[in-house]
Amino acid sequence: AQSVAQPEDQVNVAEGNPLTVKCTYSVSGNPYLFWYVQYPNRGLQFLLKYITGDNLVKGSYGFEAEFNKSQTSFHLKKPSALVSDSALYFCAVARDTGRRALTFGSGTRLQVQP
Amino acid sequence: EAGVAQSPRYKIIEKRQSVAFWCNPISGHATLYWYQQILGQGPKLLIQFQNNGVVDDSQLPKDRFSAERLKGVDSTLKIQPAKLEDSAVYLCASSLMGGGTDTQYFGPGTRLTVL
């Protein structure tokens, strides 16, 4: 079975400071990793994904994520946070074989203070 | 490009009633997913369609939930009869082919409240 852990329910950061939202995963075989963002009363919006290749993945709105196979992690980062980045962030994993549906973490609420 | 459309956006029903949700995926996307998102949790897959065939319905409570995707485009998800624990946001998503590398694009969701 595959699983995703987002150890922090909430992350608080001041505007202009760097942010990190943590994600670890467990899956058999090669992982495909995704980050989505959810604003109030809206569906999930795709930010970025790791399939293969460069461990540093760049995505929408200045976000990036680093894949670390030895630590089974895929942390989301941004060099300078904006108040508008405040939202709920979900990490998800899919497999390359067998059942290929996404398994999501429980989400991390990011609060950026002005 | 139009996104994934869902209706209704909100629905309030009493327990033991029935309810149906509708989804129209992005044009040309072969794969359609229904997820259930309970408050404070991540989305959980209920069912995955490839064109009009079911690929994965292992987490669908089949005694009360049903879904269909006629003609391989629009889809409906039905709950009959509803229970209090079905209160959640029901998200529809679509992707081009359905492989593990595919990006899924989500609709705005239907918020169901069961009283």
Side-chain angles (χ1 to χ4, degrees):
Chain A
Q2 58 205 54
S3 63
V4 173
Q6 293 183 243
E8 302 154 317
D9 289 338
Q10 181 156 325
V11 170
N12 298 307
V13 64
E15 188 174 30
N17 283 1
L19 69 88
T20 298
V21 182
K22 296 179 181 178
C23 170
T24 59
Y25 66 90
S26 173
V27 68
S28 57
N30 293 318
Y32 302 136
L33 295 155
F34 298 77
W35 276 102
Y36 284 84
V37 60
Q38 187 173 37
Y39 296 98
N41 299 314
R42 297 179 66 178
L44 278 72
Q45 295 179 31
F46 170 73
L47 281 178
L48 50 80
K49 67 181 177 182
Y50 170 82
I51 304 302
T52 188
D54 194 346
N55 289 344
L56 185 63
V57 179
K58 295 188 182 297
S60 307
Y61 313 119
F63 285 94
E64 58 189 27
E66 186 167 13
F67 172 64
N68 187 317
K69 188 172 184 177
S70 62
Q71 296 186 7
T72 61
S73 67
F74 189 56
H75 300 332
L76 181 71
K77 300 180 180 183
K78 188 174 182 181
S80 178
L82 300 172
V83 172
S84 56
D85 293 330
S86 299
L88 191 56
Y89 290 80
F90 289 96
C91 181
V93 66
R95 292 171 53 181
D96 62 345
T97 58
R99 183 171 180 270
R100 303 184 185 191
L102 284 174
T103 298
F104 285 86
S106 56
T108 298
R109 185 164 302 282
L110 174 66
Q111 194 70 40
V112 181
Q113 285 115 8
Chain B
E1 172 181 276
V4 177
Q6 290 187 247
S7 68
R9 291 295 311 276
Y10 305 91
K11 189 75 177 177
I12 300 174
I13 62 173
E14 296 190 348
K15 60 183 180 183
R16 292 188 289 274
Q17 286 187 324
S18 62
V19 65
F21 313 127
W22 173 82
C23 173
N24 180 245
I26 293 172
S27 177
H29 280 194
T31 308
L32 185 147
Y33 313 78
W34 283 103
Y35 288 86
Q36 180 192 58
Q37 186 179 16
I38 293 172
L39 187 65
Q41 299 180 18
K44 182 185 80 172
L45 180 73
L46 291 175
I47 189 167
Q48 176 182 346
F49 291 95
Q50 183 80 15
N51 296 308
N52 60 347
V54 175
V55 173
D56 185 348
D57 64 357
S58 57
Q59 299 187 92
L60 186 73
K62 298 180 186 64
D63 57 334
R64 299 184 298 106
F65 286 64
S66 64
E68 60 182 9
R69 190 184 184 196
L70 300 176
K71 301 180 182 178
V73 181
D74 294 4
S75 177
T76 57
L77 176 70
K78 297 180 181 178
I79 307 175
Q80 182 180 10
K83 292 185 175 181
L84 295 177
E85 59 260 37
D86 297 332
S87 293
V89 176
Y90 290 85
L91 295 166
C92 179
S94 69
S95 70
L96 198 58
M97 294 299 295
T101 61
D102 252 14
T103 298
Q104 296 182 27
Y105 297 92
F106 285 79
T110 297
R111 183 177 298 275
L112 173 67
T113 301
V114 182
L115 303 175

